[in-house]
PDB file of all heavy atoms in Angstrom:
ATOM      1  N   GLN A  36     -18.108  14.687   6.185  1.00 98.00           N
ATOM      2  CA  GLN A  36     -18.854  13.396   5.712  1.00 98.00           C
ATOM      3  C   GLN A  36     -18.288  13.186   4.269  1.00 98.00           C
ATOM      4  O   GLN A  36     -18.426  14.105   3.466  1.00 98.00           O
ATOM      5  CB  GLN A  36     -20.314  13.588   5.766  1.00 98.00           C
ATOM      6  CG  GLN A  36     -21.018  12.339   5.210  1.00 98.00           C
ATOM      7  CD  GLN A  36     -22.553  12.648   5.115  1.00 98.00           C
ATOM      8  OE1 GLN A  36     -22.852  13.539   4.357  1.00 98.00           O
ATOM      9  NE2 GLN A  36     -23.345  11.862   5.755  1.00 98.00           N
ATOM     10  N   GLN A  37     -17.884  11.986   3.866  1.00 98.00           N
ATOM     11  CA  GLN A  37     -17.498  11.682   2.561  1.00 98.00           C
ATOM     12  C   GLN A  37     -18.263  10.483   1.980  1.00 98.00           C
ATOM     13  O   GLN A  37     -17.990   9.419   2.424  1.00 98.00           O
ATOM     14  CB  GLN A  37     -16.079  11.487   2.405  1.00 98.00           C
ATOM     15  CG  GLN A  37     -15.554  11.292   0.965  1.00 98.00           C
ATOM     16  CD  GLN A  37     -14.027  11.005   0.828  1.00 98.00           C
ATOM     17  OE1 GLN A  37     -13.403  10.477   1.790  1.00 98.00           O
ATOM     18  NE2 GLN A  37     -13.437  11.433  -0.288  1.00 98.00           N
ATOM     19  N   GLY A  38     -19.268  10.751   1.076  1.00 96.00           N
ATOM     20  CA  GLY A  38     -19.990   9.673   0.526  1.00 96.00           C
ATOM     21  C   GLY A  38     -19.076   8.986  -0.511  1.00 96.00           C
ATOM     22  O   GLY A  38     -18.080   9.513  -0.931  1.00 96.00           O
ATOM     23  N   PRO A  39     -19.577   7.785  -1.017  1.00 94.00           N
ATOM     24  CA  PRO A  39     -18.745   7.074  -2.051  1.00 94.00           C
ATOM     25  C   PRO A  39     -18.579   7.913  -3.283  1.00 94.00           C
ATOM     26  O   PRO A  39     -19.403   8.442  -3.943  1.00 94.00           O
ATOM     27  CB  PRO A  39     -19.669   5.944  -2.299  1.00 94.00           C
ATOM     28  CG  PRO A  39     -20.566   5.764  -1.081  1.00 94.00           C
ATOM     29  CD  PRO A  39     -20.789   7.158  -0.515  1.00 94.00           C
ATOM     30  N   GLY A  40     -17.237   8.020  -3.708  1.00 94.00           N
ATOM     31  CA  GLY A  40     -16.924   8.776  -4.848  1.00 94.00           C
ATOM     32  C   GLY A  40     -17.109  10.293  -4.763  1.00 94.00           C
ATOM     33  O   GLY A  40     -17.054  10.984  -5.786  1.00 94.00           O
ATOM     34  N   GLN A  41     -17.327  10.731  -3.559  1.00 96.00           N
ATOM     35  CA  GLN A  41     -17.590  12.194  -3.303  1.00 96.00           C
ATOM     36  C   GLN A  41     -16.409  12.878  -2.673  1.00 96.00           C
ATOM     37  O   GLN A  41     -15.472  12.160  -2.115  1.00 96.00           O
ATOM     38  CB  GLN A  41     -18.854  12.440  -2.417  1.00 96.00           C
ATOM     39  CG  GLN A  41     -20.063  11.773  -2.964  1.00 96.00           C
ATOM     40  CD  GLN A  41     -20.622  12.359  -4.255  1.00 96.00           C
ATOM     41  OE1 GLN A  41     -20.599  13.638  -4.309  1.00 96.00           O
ATOM     42  NE2 GLN A  41     -20.912  11.593  -5.331  1.00 96.00           N
ATOM     43  N   ASP A  42     -16.376  14.202  -2.640  1.00 97.00           N
ATOM     44  CA  ASP A  42     -15.413  14.932  -1.897  1.00 97.00           C
ATOM     45  C   ASP A  42     -16.000  15.051  -0.472  1.00 97.00           C
ATOM     46  O   ASP A  42     -17.194  14.973  -0.311  1.00 97.00           O
ATOM     47  CB  ASP A  42     -15.079  16.238  -2.609  1.00 97.00           C
ATOM     48  CG  ASP A  42     -16.382  17.064  -2.746  1.00 97.00           C
ATOM     49  OD1 ASP A  42     -17.133  16.741  -3.619  1.00 97.00           O
ATOM     50  OD2 ASP A  42     -16.621  18.096  -1.993  1.00 97.00           O
ATOM     51  N   PRO A  43     -15.120  15.240   0.568  1.00 97.00           N
ATOM     52  CA  PRO A  43     -15.547  15.524   1.922  1.00 97.00           C
ATOM     53  C   PRO A  43     -16.412  16.736   2.009  1.00 97.00           C
ATOM     54  O   PRO A  43     -16.072  17.766   1.515  1.00 97.00           O
ATOM     55  CB  PRO A  43     -14.244  15.615   2.624  1.00 97.00           C
ATOM     56  CG  PRO A  43     -13.201  14.901   1.830  1.00 97.00           C
ATOM     57  CD  PRO A  43     -13.644  15.216   0.465  1.00 97.00           C
ATOM     58  N   GLN A  44     -17.549  16.595   2.794  1.00 97.00           N
ATOM     59  CA  GLN A  44     -18.446  17.778   2.939  1.00 97.00           C
ATOM     60  C   GLN A  44     -18.334  18.153   4.470  1.00 97.00           C
ATOM     61  O   GLN A  44     -18.490  17.275   5.324  1.00 97.00           O
ATOM     62  CB  GLN A  44     -19.802  17.343   2.583  1.00 97.00           C
ATOM     63  CG  GLN A  44     -19.988  17.104   1.079  1.00 97.00           C
ATOM     64  CD  GLN A  44     -19.850  18.357   0.273  1.00 97.00           C
ATOM     65  OE1 GLN A  44     -20.478  19.409   0.630  1.00 97.00           O
ATOM     66  NE2 GLN A  44     -19.163  18.274  -0.861  1.00 97.00           N
ATOM     67  N   PHE A  45     -18.150  19.443   4.662  1.00 95.00           N
ATOM     68  CA  PHE A  45     -18.098  19.952   6.115  1.00 95.00           C
ATOM     69  C   PHE A  45     -19.435  19.754   6.880  1.00 95.00           C
ATOM     70  O   PHE A  45     -20.508  20.131   6.288  1.00 95.00           O
ATOM     71  CB  PHE A  45     -17.795  21.420   6.116  1.00 95.00           C
ATOM     72  CG  PHE A  45     -17.782  22.070   7.412  1.00 95.00           C
ATOM     73  CD1 PHE A  45     -16.900  21.840   8.403  1.00 95.00           C
ATOM     74  CD2 PHE A  45     -18.759  23.045   7.638  1.00 95.00           C
ATOM     75  CE1 PHE A  45     -17.057  22.392   9.614  1.00 95.00           C
ATOM     76  CE2 PHE A  45     -18.928  23.692   8.898  1.00 95.00           C
ATOM     77  CZ  PHE A  45     -18.012  23.424   9.786  1.00 95.00           C
TER      78      PHE A  45
ATOM     79  N   GLN B   6     -11.886  20.921  -9.781  1.00 98.00           N
ATOM     80  CA  GLN B   6     -10.822  20.099 -10.385  1.00 98.00           C
ATOM     81  C   GLN B   6     -11.390  19.377 -11.570  1.00 98.00           C
ATOM     82  O   GLN B   6     -12.121  18.433 -11.462  1.00 98.00           O
ATOM     83  CB  GLN B   6     -10.414  19.051  -9.253  1.00 98.00           C
ATOM     84  CG  GLN B   6      -9.782  19.752  -8.100  1.00 98.00           C
ATOM     85  CD  GLN B   6      -9.329  18.716  -7.093  1.00 98.00           C
ATOM     86  OE1 GLN B   6     -10.001  18.525  -5.968  1.00 98.00           O
ATOM     87  NE2 GLN B   6      -8.287  17.869  -7.385  1.00 98.00           N
ATOM     88  N   GLN B  39      -5.514  11.214  -0.915  1.00 98.00           N
ATOM     89  CA  GLN B  39      -6.239  10.133  -0.316  1.00 98.00           C
ATOM     90  C   GLN B  39      -5.936   8.882  -1.051  1.00 98.00           C
ATOM     91  O   GLN B  39      -6.525   8.615  -2.068  1.00 98.00           O
ATOM     92  CB  GLN B  39      -7.789  10.480  -0.401  1.00 98.00           C
ATOM     93  CG  GLN B  39      -8.682   9.439   0.328  1.00 98.00           C
ATOM     94  CD  GLN B  39     -10.087   9.709   0.412  1.00 98.00           C
ATOM     95  OE1 GLN B  39     -10.734  10.323  -0.537  1.00 98.00           O
ATOM     96  NE2 GLN B  39     -10.709   9.600   1.623  1.00 98.00           N
ATOM     97  N   PHE B  91      -7.098  15.956  -3.601  1.00 98.00           N
ATOM     98  CA  PHE B  91      -8.071  16.921  -3.423  1.00 98.00           C
ATOM     99  C   PHE B  91      -7.432  18.295  -3.240  1.00 98.00           C
ATOM    100  O   PHE B  91      -6.420  18.384  -2.386  1.00 98.00           O
ATOM    101  CB  PHE B  91      -8.897  16.604  -2.211  1.00 98.00           C
ATOM    102  CG  PHE B  91      -9.921  15.511  -2.294  1.00 98.00           C
ATOM    103  CD1 PHE B  91      -9.616  14.327  -1.834  1.00 98.00           C
ATOM    104  CD2 PHE B  91     -11.136  15.703  -2.949  1.00 98.00           C
ATOM    105  CE1 PHE B  91     -10.541  13.179  -1.976  1.00 98.00           C
ATOM    106  CE2 PHE B  91     -12.059  14.632  -3.069  1.00 98.00           C
ATOM    107  CZ  PHE B  91     -11.687  13.432  -2.601  1.00 98.00           C
ATOM    108  N   ILE B 106     -13.429  23.868   1.927  1.00 94.00           N
ATOM    109  CA  ILE B 106     -14.180  23.531   0.742  1.00 94.00           C
ATOM    110  C   ILE B 106     -13.298  22.754  -0.202  1.00 94.00           C
ATOM    111  O   ILE B 106     -12.315  23.267  -0.676  1.00 94.00           O
ATOM    112  CB  ILE B 106     -14.769  24.839   0.124  1.00 94.00           C
ATOM    113  CG1 ILE B 106     -15.546  25.675   1.160  1.00 94.00           C
ATOM    114  CG2 ILE B 106     -15.596  24.540  -1.154  1.00 94.00           C
ATOM    115  CD1 ILE B 106     -16.746  25.001   1.593  1.00 94.00           C
ATOM    116  N   PHE B 107     -13.803  21.499  -0.560  1.00 97.00           N
ATOM    117  CA  PHE B 107     -12.926  20.739  -1.307  1.00 97.00           C
ATOM    118  C   PHE B 107     -13.505  20.760  -2.834  1.00 97.00           C
ATOM    119  O   PHE B 107     -14.642  20.883  -3.101  1.00 97.00           O
ATOM    120  CB  PHE B 107     -13.029  19.191  -0.893  1.00 97.00           C
ATOM    121  CG  PHE B 107     -12.363  18.968   0.393  1.00 97.00           C
ATOM    122  CD1 PHE B 107     -12.983  19.227   1.687  1.00 97.00           C
ATOM    123  CD2 PHE B 107     -11.055  18.422   0.401  1.00 97.00           C
ATOM    124  CE1 PHE B 107     -12.270  18.947   2.760  1.00 97.00           C
ATOM    125  CE2 PHE B 107     -10.275  18.072   1.524  1.00 97.00           C
ATOM    126  CZ  PHE B 107     -10.976  18.369   2.754  1.00 97.00           C
ATOM    127  N   GLY B 108     -12.476  20.452  -3.706  1.00 98.00           N
ATOM    128  CA  GLY B 108     -12.906  20.199  -5.071  1.00 98.00           C
ATOM    129  C   GLY B 108     -13.274  18.767  -5.199  1.00 98.00           C
ATOM    130  O   GLY B 108     -13.338  18.002  -4.204  1.00 98.00           O
ATOM    131  N   GLN B 109     -13.775  18.379  -6.370  1.00 98.00           N
ATOM    132  CA  GLN B 109     -14.309  17.109  -6.585  1.00 98.00           C
ATOM    133  C   GLN B 109     -13.301  15.920  -6.495  1.00 98.00           C
ATOM    134  O   GLN B 109     -13.625  14.800  -6.396  1.00 98.00           O
ATOM    135  CB  GLN B 109     -15.036  17.000  -7.860  1.00 98.00           C
ATOM    136  CG  GLN B 109     -16.066  18.134  -8.106  1.00 98.00           C
ATOM    137  CD  GLN B 109     -15.527  19.358  -8.778  1.00 98.00           C
ATOM    138  OE1 GLN B 109     -14.396  19.823  -8.468  1.00 98.00           O
ATOM    139  NE2 GLN B 109     -16.214  19.916  -9.709  1.00 98.00           N
ATOM    140  N   GLY B 110     -12.004  16.343  -6.535  1.00 98.00           N
ATOM    141  CA  GLY B 110     -10.998  15.276  -6.461  1.00 98.00           C
ATOM    142  C   GLY B 110     -10.523  14.768  -7.944  1.00 98.00           C
ATOM    143  O   GLY B 110     -11.381  14.749  -8.827  1.00 98.00           O
TER     144      GLY B 110
END
Side-chain angles (χ1 to χ4, degrees):
Chain A
Q36 177 192 58
Q37 185 181 27
Q41 305 290 316
D42 55 286
Q44 295 290 315
F45 170 72
Chain B
Q6 296 178 253
Q39 187 171 40
F91 289 99
I106 302 299
F107 286 87
Q109 305 93 316

